[in-house]
Amino acid sequence: EAGVAQSPRYKIIEKRQSVAFWCNPISGHATLYWYQQILGQGPKLLIQFQNNGVVDDSQLPKDRFSAERLKGVDSTLKIQPAKLEDSAVYLCASRASTGSGEQFFGPGTRLTVL
Amino acid sequence: AQSVTQLDSHVSVSEGTPVLLRCNYSSSYSPSLFWYVQHPNKGLQLLLKYTSAATLVKGINGFEAEFKKSETSFHLTKPSAHMSDAAEYFCVVSDPSGTYKYIFGTGTRLKVLA
């Protein structure tokens, strides 16, 4: 079974530029999560999708961050414009509708904002 | 509300000696609890999970954890550390009756000395 795929793995941009990250969850997983992990901290949930609907986006800075999962499969997270404090690893995870509630994580995208 | 406290930000052990990583949780519900490991530049890998079955949970690579409701603890142990165990470890609490949202601890960095 293929795992959660993310791209790109690394991205370096200047502040005020825009950037987009892509995630393809495990096949059949209805729930998809985006996390932000700042260096030295635990991951923080940004947004949770159930199929193509948003379940929780309370921690998403909506003035600059947006996310979509139009067909209920893969998802894109965008930052526009980026700030220095957005430098972090962005993790995508997915979860099956049944089972123990375990989330499966992708390798992450490391963003550096200069 | 749920929360997780990892009591040590850094732990150093000698190779071949026992490992103890401490985690306390707070939850209004009967929680699910997880331990994840993150090696440098890698994604999060599940070590083990507690989901209201046996209180002593065995995971991969010789790790285990015991759920103690009276102490609200879920400490991670391993009888004998290996150099490859050096990594960041995260304790996670999840509400299985709701959105299965993960709350991460701040992490414990394990260093294994030769």
Side-chain angles (χ1 to χ4, degrees), chain B residues 8-22 81-83 85-87 89 108-114:
Chain B
D8 306 293
S9 59
H10 293 83
V11 170
S12 292
V13 300
S14 297
E15 189 175 23
T17 65
V19 175
L20 170 63
L21 305 183
R22 298 182 295 166
H82 191 272
M83 295 297 290
D85 294 329
Y89 292 79
T108 298
R109 182 166 298 277
L110 176 65
K111 185 174 182 179
V112 182
L113 307 172

Side-chain angles (χ1 to χ4, degrees), chain B residues 25-39:
Chain B
Y25 71 92
S26 173
S27 177
S28 305
Y29 307 92
S30 180
S32 292
L33 293 157
F34 304 82
W35 275 99
Y36 281 82
V37 61
Q38 188 175 38
H39 287 93

Side-chain angles (χ1 to χ4, degrees), chain B residues 84-98:
Chain B
S84 60
D85 294 329
E88 188 88 18
Y89 292 79
F90 292 97
C91 183
V92 178
V93 64
S94 171
D95 168 21
S97 65

Side-chain angles (χ1 to χ4, degrees), chain A residues 37 42 48 100 102-103 110, chain B residues 36 38 46 49 90 99 102:
Chain A
Q37 185 179 18
Q48 176 183 346
S100 63
E102 175 187 348
Q103 295 181 22
R110 181 175 297 277
Chain B
Y36 281 82
Q38 188 175 38
L46 180 70
K49 59 188 175 186
F90 292 97
T99 62
Y102 272 15

